[in-house]
Amino acid sequence: MSRYKKMFEKKTLLKEGCFVPFVVIGDPSLNMSIKIIEILIKSGADALELGIPFSDPLADGPIIQKSNLRALSKNYGILKCFEIIQIIRKKYSNIPIGILLYANLIYSQGIKNFYKQCSKYDLDSVLIADVPIEEYSLFYKYANKFNIDSIFICPPDADDNFLSQLSSYARGYIYLLSRPGVTGIEKKTIALSNKFIKNVKKYNNIPLLQGFGIKNSIQIKKSILSGVNGVICGSAIINIIEKNLNKENEILNKIKNFSYKLIQSTKFI
Amino acid sequence: MTLLNPYFGEFGGMYVPQILMPALHELEKNFVISKKDLSFQQKFLYLLKNYAGRPTPLTLCANLTKGTKTRIYLKREDLLHGGAHKTNQVLGQAMLAIQMKKKAIIAETGAGQHGVATAIACALLNLKCKIYMGFKDIERQKPNVFRMKLMGAEVISVKSGSGTLKDACNEALRDWSNSYKYTHYMIGTAAGPHPYPKIVKEFQKIIGEETKKQILQQEKKLPDSIIACVGGGSNAIGIFSDFINEKVNLIGVEPAGQGINTGKHGAPLSHGRTGIYFGMKSYLMQNEEGQIQKSWSISAGLDFPSVGPEHAWLNSIKRAQYVSITDEEALEAFQILSKKEGIIPALESSHALAYALKIMNLNPDKNQVLIVNLSGRGDKDIFTVSEILKNRKKL
């Protein structure tokens, strides 16, 4: 059974929502990245979504964009990112780890070779931010060959045609968007209606994680009550890194307190 | 499913966040409808003729070619309203936006020519207009920024990344992914996700159609070569369009910037490799790992690390030839045309002219007809050039 499946089954039994943090590998440094990821896991993260830094992350807002550029300014290559993943995987063999990246990083090293690497480093899923389902076939072929779950984004205005198409592709979980636009915490998050979630579930029986604009406990409670299985939280965590650059302990303490608070709100609903 | 083929060979496609796909499908559907809609086509041609000033002339450069057997003609897109070929396609896209009931336009601009053209179309057709522009380009293209604002556009300075066209493109796409329900993203060149490369070519193909008629009238034969500068590639694809199936050399000129070996250039077709960026699969300037690299050109309009997918395809099948010209060579052509013919070309177009002059000087006794697409006028560049010449004490 896949790590995602095990994790989601356990959470369903416990009647709890999942908390999946997103951070960019290498921001603010490789060493700190490991420490940040470990703090998130120790605080109770259910799975990890890790960004591989890219020069032009156009699906992301300013906070994650700057995080990508900070990581890139240190000149770490993709191999270094995979090494970090390897370190985490060795210590935490059960936690599902997904990566988020942009198509050119995959295309540049060869699609087959990329998924082979993902399999070698024991990754669970890949989300490609700038490849829609319509262009996915070649990526999908190799993802399946190497047993890597392909994560797809479901927009908040998805129609029945798209949802039906999604059901034949999505694996692991579906990344449900809270709102249109790019990642970030500045904009108001529109709560997804129970009706919409029900409609998504009509076509898809794999778990749903809601992302974009997740920044506080009230929102998380609302999301989970609307019927999703959990949330993905990125910009709010990365904002802590940005606001406390060069203050290692501050970053770790604040991320610990922040994520603990959010994780608590996924329980006792 | 798309209505039209989104690919040119292996190039093109729709590599955008999923959220944008409905907007691209809506645009494609409306584009297909507009092509068959007689009243749309009539209004478009009416605006091109009576507002923008088509047809533009084809000018023979007698002074420039004196003493040689080469005849160089300039397709005078610099004389189009707005000062560049950009006006053609923004009128078409603005009409599409109205057809889709969008109230506002977002656009990005490098040299400012597309920004000015967008502001013109929006003022004329009563659309709200927001232009993203890199902060460095805002600095080097002040007159165009003023023109945009004068015509009612909001110019947004992009400070992220390198602060040039590449970053402005990213910002515009970001804006669009939040606002597509009521805005149209008016991409300025024949690049980006499908259907943009097809739309831009359709609205720019009039350059090629006019050129063919005019050269047949003046020379009674087709030219030997057509030469056009290539940033994203809209003026080049426009003038190439009616000659792709003819026996005519098609030459695209990319910016070699400070020299290809310095790495400071904008020539992905001749010195990049295939990748995925800005919604399409095409040639890219990128490092070994696939990170997009900064491009460089004295001409802000050519300062882009990728190129339209149809050019990538024409290059791959060797139907068109792509070469590069340095900043220095372009500067020289800029001055020569000004002095010899009384025409100040845009720095972009100066690249194409510089290559035509190279062909002429290499074989002065060859009887040949060359057409250069003079894609825009150089008024916007006079400050950049005057600064350089002053520093060299040549002015």
Side-chain angles (χ1 to χ4, degrees), chain A residues 24-54:
Chain A
V24 176
I25 299 180
D27 174 33
S29 68
L30 285 179
N31 277 342
M32 268 300 279
S33 245
I34 299 173
K35 288 181 187 170
I36 290 168
I37 294 166
E38 288 208 80
I39 280 281
L40 288 164
I41 297 173
K42 284 176 185 161
S43 305
D46 297 296
L48 297 171
E49 186 74 5
L50 302 175
I52 307 285
F54 182 54

PDB file of all heavy atoms in Angstrom, chain A residues 24-54:
ATOM      1  N   VAL A  24      10.567  25.251   0.177  1.00  0.00           N
ATOM      2  CA  VAL A  24      11.466  25.093  -0.963  1.00  0.00           C
ATOM      3  C   VAL A  24      12.814  24.580  -0.454  1.00  0.00           C
ATOM      4  O   VAL A  24      13.382  25.152   0.482  1.00  0.00           O
ATOM      5  CB  VAL A  24      11.661  26.442  -1.712  1.00  0.00           C
ATOM      6  CG1 VAL A  24      12.664  26.300  -2.842  1.00  0.00           C
ATOM      7  CG2 VAL A  24      10.327  26.950  -2.240  1.00  0.00           C
ATOM      8  N   ILE A  25      13.301  23.517  -1.046  1.00  0.00           N
ATOM      9  CA  ILE A  25      14.579  22.947  -0.602  1.00  0.00           C
ATOM     10  C   ILE A  25      15.710  23.949  -0.879  1.00  0.00           C
ATOM     11  O   ILE A  25      15.795  24.516  -1.959  1.00  0.00           O
ATOM     12  CB  ILE A  25      14.877  21.614  -1.323  1.00  0.00           C
ATOM     13  CG1 ILE A  25      13.781  20.600  -1.016  1.00  0.00           C
ATOM     14  CG2 ILE A  25      16.251  21.062  -0.915  1.00  0.00           C
ATOM     15  CD1 ILE A  25      13.965  19.245  -1.682  1.00  0.00           C
ATOM     16  N   GLY A  26      16.544  24.163   0.141  1.00  0.00           N
ATOM     17  CA  GLY A  26      17.691  25.060  -0.030  1.00  0.00           C
ATOM     18  C   GLY A  26      17.444  26.473   0.454  1.00  0.00           C
ATOM     19  O   GLY A  26      18.345  27.307   0.418  1.00  0.00           O
ATOM     20  N   ASP A  27      16.241  26.765   0.921  1.00  0.00           N
ATOM     21  CA  ASP A  27      15.944  28.108   1.445  1.00  0.00           C
ATOM     22  C   ASP A  27      15.805  28.027   2.956  1.00  0.00           C
ATOM     23  O   ASP A  27      14.961  27.274   3.445  1.00  0.00           O
ATOM     24  CB  ASP A  27      14.641  28.633   0.831  1.00  0.00           C
ATOM     25  CG  ASP A  27      14.213  29.962   1.441  1.00  0.00           C
ATOM     26  OD1 ASP A  27      15.113  30.746   1.813  1.00  0.00           O
ATOM     27  OD2 ASP A  27      12.994  30.226   1.528  1.00  0.00           O
ATOM     28  N   PRO A  28      16.570  28.751   3.752  1.00  0.00           N
ATOM     29  CA  PRO A  28      17.600  29.707   3.330  1.00  0.00           C
ATOM     30  C   PRO A  28      18.961  29.053   3.068  1.00  0.00           C
ATOM     31  O   PRO A  28      19.836  29.704   2.512  1.00  0.00           O
ATOM     32  CB  PRO A  28      17.686  30.661   4.519  1.00  0.00           C
ATOM     33  CG  PRO A  28      17.290  29.843   5.696  1.00  0.00           C
ATOM     34  CD  PRO A  28      16.332  28.808   5.199  1.00  0.00           C
ATOM     35  N   SER A  29      19.137  27.791   3.469  1.00  0.00           N
ATOM     36  CA  SER A  29      20.387  27.083   3.162  1.00  0.00           C
ATOM     37  C   SER A  29      20.064  25.587   3.212  1.00  0.00           C
ATOM     38  O   SER A  29      18.990  25.196   3.683  1.00  0.00           O
ATOM     39  CB  SER A  29      21.464  27.401   4.202  1.00  0.00           C
ATOM     40  OG  SER A  29      21.096  26.836   5.442  1.00  0.00           O
ATOM     41  N   LEU A  30      20.989  24.766   2.742  1.00  0.00           N
ATOM     42  CA  LEU A  30      20.708  23.325   2.749  1.00  0.00           C
ATOM     43  C   LEU A  30      20.568  22.795   4.171  1.00  0.00           C
ATOM     44  O   LEU A  30      19.635  22.045   4.487  1.00  0.00           O
ATOM     45  CB  LEU A  30      21.810  22.568   2.010  1.00  0.00           C
ATOM     46  CG  LEU A  30      21.777  22.675   0.483  1.00  0.00           C
ATOM     47  CD1 LEU A  30      22.947  21.903  -0.120  1.00  0.00           C
ATOM     48  CD2 LEU A  30      20.472  22.160  -0.096  1.00  0.00           C
ATOM     49  N   ASN A  31      21.479  23.224   5.053  1.00  0.00           N
ATOM     50  CA  ASN A  31      21.429  22.750   6.444  1.00  0.00           C
ATOM     51  C   ASN A  31      20.135  23.149   7.127  1.00  0.00           C
ATOM     52  O   ASN A  31      19.495  22.359   7.830  1.00  0.00           O
ATOM     53  CB  ASN A  31      22.598  23.342   7.249  1.00  0.00           C
ATOM     54  CG  ASN A  31      23.839  22.510   7.032  1.00  0.00           C
ATOM     55  OD1 ASN A  31      23.738  21.362   6.584  1.00  0.00           O
ATOM     56  ND2 ASN A  31      24.995  23.080   7.320  1.00  0.00           N
ATOM     57  N   MET A  32      19.771  24.414   6.910  1.00  0.00           N
ATOM     58  CA  MET A  32      18.543  24.901   7.534  1.00  0.00           C
ATOM     59  C   MET A  32      17.314  24.192   6.960  1.00  0.00           C
ATOM     60  O   MET A  32      16.340  23.943   7.676  1.00  0.00           O
ATOM     61  CB  MET A  32      18.404  26.415   7.326  1.00  0.00           C
ATOM     62  CG  MET A  32      18.999  27.228   8.450  1.00  0.00           C
ATOM     63  SD  MET A  32      18.221  26.863  10.031  1.00  0.00           S
ATOM     64  CE  MET A  32      16.746  27.852   9.913  1.00  0.00           C
ATOM     65  N   SER A  33      17.386  23.887   5.661  1.00  0.00           N
ATOM     66  CA  SER A  33      16.278  23.171   5.034  1.00  0.00           C
ATOM     67  C   SER A  33      15.994  21.872   5.776  1.00  0.00           C
ATOM     68  O   SER A  33      14.838  21.560   6.091  1.00  0.00           O
ATOM     69  CB  SER A  33      16.648  22.818   3.593  1.00  0.00           C
ATOM     70  OG  SER A  33      15.827  23.471   2.699  1.00  0.00           O
ATOM     71  N   ILE A  34      17.072  21.143   6.070  1.00  0.00           N
ATOM     72  CA  ILE A  34      16.896  19.867   6.784  1.00  0.00           C
ATOM     73  C   ILE A  34      16.268  20.120   8.154  1.00  0.00           C
ATOM     74  O   ILE A  34      15.305  19.451   8.551  1.00  0.00           O
ATOM     75  CB  ILE A  34      18.254  19.141   6.937  1.00  0.00           C
ATOM     76  CG1 ILE A  34      18.826  18.851   5.553  1.00  0.00           C
ATOM     77  CG2 ILE A  34      18.102  17.859   7.746  1.00  0.00           C
ATOM     78  CD1 ILE A  34      20.233  18.299   5.555  1.00  0.00           C
ATOM     79  N   LYS A  35      16.781  21.130   8.845  1.00  0.00           N
ATOM     80  CA  LYS A  35      16.248  21.425  10.185  1.00  0.00           C
ATOM     81  C   LYS A  35      14.775  21.832  10.124  1.00  0.00           C
ATOM     82  O   LYS A  35      13.967  21.430  10.961  1.00  0.00           O
ATOM     83  CB  LYS A  35      17.076  22.538  10.846  1.00  0.00           C
ATOM     84  CG  LYS A  35      18.463  22.067  11.266  1.00  0.00           C
ATOM     85  CD  LYS A  35      19.219  23.187  11.936  1.00  0.00           C
ATOM     86  CE  LYS A  35      20.665  22.770  12.206  1.00  0.00           C
ATOM     87  NZ  LYS A  35      21.503  23.893  12.627  1.00  0.00           N
ATOM     88  N   ILE A  36      14.436  22.658   9.129  1.00  0.00           N
ATOM     89  CA  ILE A  36      13.041  23.120   8.996  1.00  0.00           C
ATOM     90  C   ILE A  36      12.121  21.927   8.713  1.00  0.00           C
ATOM     91  O   ILE A  36      11.069  21.767   9.346  1.00  0.00           O
ATOM     92  CB  ILE A  36      12.921  24.184   7.868  1.00  0.00           C
ATOM     93  CG1 ILE A  36      13.595  25.492   8.302  1.00  0.00           C
ATOM     94  CG2 ILE A  36      11.457  24.440   7.495  1.00  0.00           C
ATOM     95  CD1 ILE A  36      13.792  26.512   7.206  1.00  0.00           C
ATOM     96  N   ILE A  37      12.559  21.076   7.781  1.00  0.00           N
ATOM     97  CA  ILE A  37      11.720  19.911   7.441  1.00  0.00           C
ATOM     98  C   ILE A  37      11.545  19.008   8.676  1.00  0.00           C
ATOM     99  O   ILE A  37      10.446  18.517   8.958  1.00  0.00           O
ATOM    100  CB  ILE A  37      12.327  19.138   6.244  1.00  0.00           C
ATOM    101  CG1 ILE A  37      12.279  20.013   4.974  1.00  0.00           C
ATOM    102  CG2 ILE A  37      11.586  17.825   6.005  1.00  0.00           C
ATOM    103  CD1 ILE A  37      13.122  19.513   3.813  1.00  0.00           C
ATOM    104  N   GLU A  38      12.625  18.838   9.430  1.00  0.00           N
ATOM    105  CA  GLU A  38      12.527  17.976  10.622  1.00  0.00           C
ATOM    106  C   GLU A  38      11.594  18.560  11.671  1.00  0.00           C
ATOM    107  O   GLU A  38      10.821  17.836  12.309  1.00  0.00           O
ATOM    108  CB  GLU A  38      13.921  17.744  11.214  1.00  0.00           C
ATOM    109  CG  GLU A  38      14.732  16.816  10.340  1.00  0.00           C
ATOM    110  CD  GLU A  38      15.754  16.036  11.152  1.00  0.00           C
ATOM    111  OE1 GLU A  38      15.370  15.031  11.781  1.00  0.00           O
ATOM    112  OE2 GLU A  38      16.915  16.468  11.147  1.00  0.00           O
ATOM    113  N   ILE A  39      11.654  19.883  11.833  1.00  0.00           N
ATOM    114  CA  ILE A  39      10.747  20.540  12.796  1.00  0.00           C
ATOM    115  C   ILE A  39       9.296  20.316  12.371  1.00  0.00           C
ATOM    116  O   ILE A  39       8.417  20.046  13.190  1.00  0.00           O
ATOM    117  CB  ILE A  39      11.049  22.066  12.862  1.00  0.00           C
ATOM    118  CG1 ILE A  39      12.261  22.331  13.757  1.00  0.00           C
ATOM    119  CG2 ILE A  39       9.854  22.878  13.335  1.00  0.00           C
ATOM    120  CD1 ILE A  39      11.963  22.302  15.253  1.00  0.00           C
ATOM    121  N   LEU A  40       9.067  20.428  11.057  1.00  0.00           N
ATOM    122  CA  LEU A  40       7.703  20.241  10.553  1.00  0.00           C
ATOM    123  C   LEU A  40       7.218  18.812  10.813  1.00  0.00           C
ATOM    124  O   LEU A  40       6.073  18.597  11.220  1.00  0.00           O
ATOM    125  CB  LEU A  40       7.645  20.572   9.055  1.00  0.00           C
ATOM    126  CG  LEU A  40       7.772  22.073   8.723  1.00  0.00           C
ATOM    127  CD1 LEU A  40       8.103  22.280   7.246  1.00  0.00           C
ATOM    128  CD2 LEU A  40       6.480  22.820   9.080  1.00  0.00           C
ATOM    129  N   ILE A  41       8.108  17.858  10.571  1.00  0.00           N
ATOM    130  CA  ILE A  41       7.722  16.458  10.797  1.00  0.00           C
ATOM    131  C   ILE A  41       7.468  16.220  12.292  1.00  0.00           C
ATOM    132  O   ILE A  41       6.451  15.635  12.678  1.00  0.00           O
ATOM    133  CB  ILE A  41       8.810  15.487  10.284  1.00  0.00           C
ATOM    134  CG1 ILE A  41       8.979  15.636   8.766  1.00  0.00           C
ATOM    135  CG2 ILE A  41       8.468  14.035  10.637  1.00  0.00           C
ATOM    136  CD1 ILE A  41      10.141  14.849   8.180  1.00  0.00           C
ATOM    137  N   LYS A  42       8.385  16.720  13.119  1.00  0.00           N
ATOM    138  CA  LYS A  42       8.234  16.501  14.567  1.00  0.00           C
ATOM    139  C   LYS A  42       6.990  17.189  15.119  1.00  0.00           C
ATOM    140  O   LYS A  42       6.419  16.763  16.124  1.00  0.00           O
ATOM    141  CB  LYS A  42       9.486  16.978  15.298  1.00  0.00           C
ATOM    142  CG  LYS A  42      10.639  15.982  15.144  1.00  0.00           C
ATOM    143  CD  LYS A  42      11.906  16.505  15.774  1.00  0.00           C
ATOM    144  CE  LYS A  42      13.067  15.575  15.498  1.00  0.00           C
ATOM    145  NZ  LYS A  42      14.351  16.257  15.706  1.00  0.00           N
ATOM    146  N   SER A  43       6.591  18.314  14.475  1.00  0.00           N
ATOM    147  CA  SER A  43       5.389  19.003  14.947  1.00  0.00           C
ATOM    148  C   SER A  43       4.123  18.255  14.562  1.00  0.00           C
ATOM    149  O   SER A  43       3.025  18.606  14.999  1.00  0.00           O
ATOM    150  CB  SER A  43       5.315  20.413  14.366  1.00  0.00           C
ATOM    151  OG  SER A  43       6.486  21.114  14.665  1.00  0.00           O
ATOM    152  N   GLY A  44       4.253  17.279  13.642  1.00  0.00           N
ATOM    153  CA  GLY A  44       3.082  16.473  13.291  1.00  0.00           C
ATOM    154  C   GLY A  44       2.632  16.552  11.850  1.00  0.00           C
ATOM    155  O   GLY A  44       1.478  16.198  11.548  1.00  0.00           O
ATOM    156  N   ALA A  45       3.499  17.050  10.959  1.00  0.00           N
ATOM    157  CA  ALA A  45       3.109  17.082   9.541  1.00  0.00           C
ATOM    158  C   ALA A  45       2.795  15.668   9.076  1.00  0.00           C
ATOM    159  O   ALA A  45       3.484  14.720   9.449  1.00  0.00           O
ATOM    160  CB  ALA A  45       4.235  17.674   8.700  1.00  0.00           C
ATOM    161  N   ASP A  46       1.744  15.531   8.266  1.00  0.00           N
ATOM    162  CA  ASP A  46       1.338  14.198   7.826  1.00  0.00           C
ATOM    163  C   ASP A  46       2.044  13.768   6.548  1.00  0.00           C
ATOM    164  O   ASP A  46       2.159  12.583   6.262  1.00  0.00           O
ATOM    165  CB  ASP A  46      -0.174  14.162   7.605  1.00  0.00           C
ATOM    166  CG  ASP A  46      -0.907  14.418   8.906  1.00  0.00           C
ATOM    167  OD1 ASP A  46      -0.778  13.587   9.817  1.00  0.00           O
ATOM    168  OD2 ASP A  46      -1.570  15.468   9.019  1.00  0.00           O
ATOM    169  N   ALA A  47       2.426  14.740   5.734  1.00  0.00           N
ATOM    170  CA  ALA A  47       3.171  14.464   4.499  1.00  0.00           C
ATOM    171  C   ALA A  47       3.973  15.720   4.192  1.00  0.00           C
ATOM    172  O   ALA A  47       3.756  16.766   4.827  1.00  0.00           O
ATOM    173  CB  ALA A  47       2.219  14.147   3.359  1.00  0.00           C
ATOM    174  N   LEU A  48       4.896  15.620   3.243  1.00  0.00           N
ATOM    175  CA  LEU A  48       5.699  16.799   2.885  1.00  0.00           C
ATOM    176  C   LEU A  48       5.524  17.119   1.414  1.00  0.00           C
ATOM    177  O   LEU A  48       5.480  16.211   0.582  1.00  0.00           O
ATOM    178  CB  LEU A  48       7.190  16.523   3.123  1.00  0.00           C
ATOM    179  CG  LEU A  48       7.665  16.243   4.533  1.00  0.00           C
ATOM    180  CD1 LEU A  48       9.123  15.775   4.489  1.00  0.00           C
ATOM    181  CD2 LEU A  48       7.531  17.488   5.408  1.00  0.00           C
ATOM    182  N   GLU A  49       5.426  18.415   1.126  1.00  0.00           N
ATOM    183  CA  GLU A  49       5.456  18.871  -0.264  1.00  0.00           C
ATOM    184  C   GLU A  49       6.694  19.761  -0.345  1.00  0.00           C
ATOM    185  O   GLU A  49       6.774  20.777   0.337  1.00  0.00           O
ATOM    186  CB  GLU A  49       4.164  19.656  -0.556  1.00  0.00           C
ATOM    187  CG  GLU A  49       3.985  20.072  -1.986  1.00  0.00           C
ATOM    188  CD  GLU A  49       3.608  18.929  -2.925  1.00  0.00           C
ATOM    189  OE1 GLU A  49       3.384  17.795  -2.478  1.00  0.00           O
ATOM    190  OE2 GLU A  49       3.578  19.200  -4.134  1.00  0.00           O
ATOM    191  N   LEU A  50       7.676  19.338  -1.147  1.00  0.00           N
ATOM    192  CA  LEU A  50       8.933  20.083  -1.187  1.00  0.00           C
ATOM    193  C   LEU A  50       9.152  20.678  -2.580  1.00  0.00           C
ATOM    194  O   LEU A  50       8.983  19.990  -3.597  1.00  0.00           O
ATOM    195  CB  LEU A  50      10.103  19.155  -0.824  1.00  0.00           C
ATOM    196  CG  LEU A  50      10.002  18.471   0.549  1.00  0.00           C
ATOM    197  CD1 LEU A  50      11.155  17.478   0.746  1.00  0.00           C
ATOM    198  CD2 LEU A  50       9.992  19.496   1.675  1.00  0.00           C
ATOM    199  N   GLY A  51       9.528  21.942  -2.589  1.00  0.00           N
ATOM    200  CA  GLY A  51       9.747  22.614  -3.870  1.00  0.00           C
ATOM    201  C   GLY A  51      11.184  22.457  -4.326  1.00  0.00           C
ATOM    202  O   GLY A  51      12.110  22.581  -3.531  1.00  0.00           O
ATOM    203  N   ILE A  52      11.356  22.151  -5.621  1.00  0.00           N
ATOM    204  CA  ILE A  52      12.700  22.173  -6.210  1.00  0.00           C
ATOM    205  C   ILE A  52      12.835  23.559  -6.828  1.00  0.00           C
ATOM    206  O   ILE A  52      12.013  23.930  -7.677  1.00  0.00           O
ATOM    207  CB  ILE A  52      12.854  21.102  -7.321  1.00  0.00           C
ATOM    208  CG1 ILE A  52      12.443  19.721  -6.829  1.00  0.00           C
ATOM    209  CG2 ILE A  52      14.264  21.113  -7.903  1.00  0.00           C
ATOM    210  CD1 ILE A  52      13.403  19.024  -5.914  1.00  0.00           C
ATOM    211  N   PRO A  53      13.824  24.347  -6.399  1.00  0.00           N
ATOM    212  CA  PRO A  53      13.856  25.744  -6.854  1.00  0.00           C
ATOM    213  C   PRO A  53      13.993  25.907  -8.361  1.00  0.00           C
ATOM    214  O   PRO A  53      14.736  25.170  -9.005  1.00  0.00           O
ATOM    215  CB  PRO A  53      15.072  26.331  -6.126  1.00  0.00           C
ATOM    216  CG  PRO A  53      15.815  25.194  -5.545  1.00  0.00           C
ATOM    217  CD  PRO A  53      14.883  24.034  -5.447  1.00  0.00           C
ATOM    218  N   PHE A  54      13.238  26.888  -8.907  1.00  0.00           N
ATOM    219  CA  PHE A  54      13.262  27.185 -10.336  1.00  0.00           C
ATOM    220  C   PHE A  54      13.362  28.704 -10.529  1.00  0.00           C
ATOM    221  O   PHE A  54      12.815  29.467  -9.730  1.00  0.00           O
ATOM    222  CB  PHE A  54      11.980  26.644 -10.995  1.00  0.00           C
ATOM    223  CG  PHE A  54      11.925  26.847 -12.486  1.00  0.00           C
ATOM    224  CD1 PHE A  54      12.951  26.394 -13.307  1.00  0.00           C
ATOM    225  CD2 PHE A  54      10.848  27.505 -13.088  1.00  0.00           C
ATOM    226  CE1 PHE A  54      12.904  26.587 -14.682  1.00  0.00           C
ATOM    227  CE2 PHE A  54      10.794  27.690 -14.458  1.00  0.00           C
ATOM    228  CZ  PHE A  54      11.822  27.240 -15.259  1.00  0.00           C
TER     229      PHE A  54
END
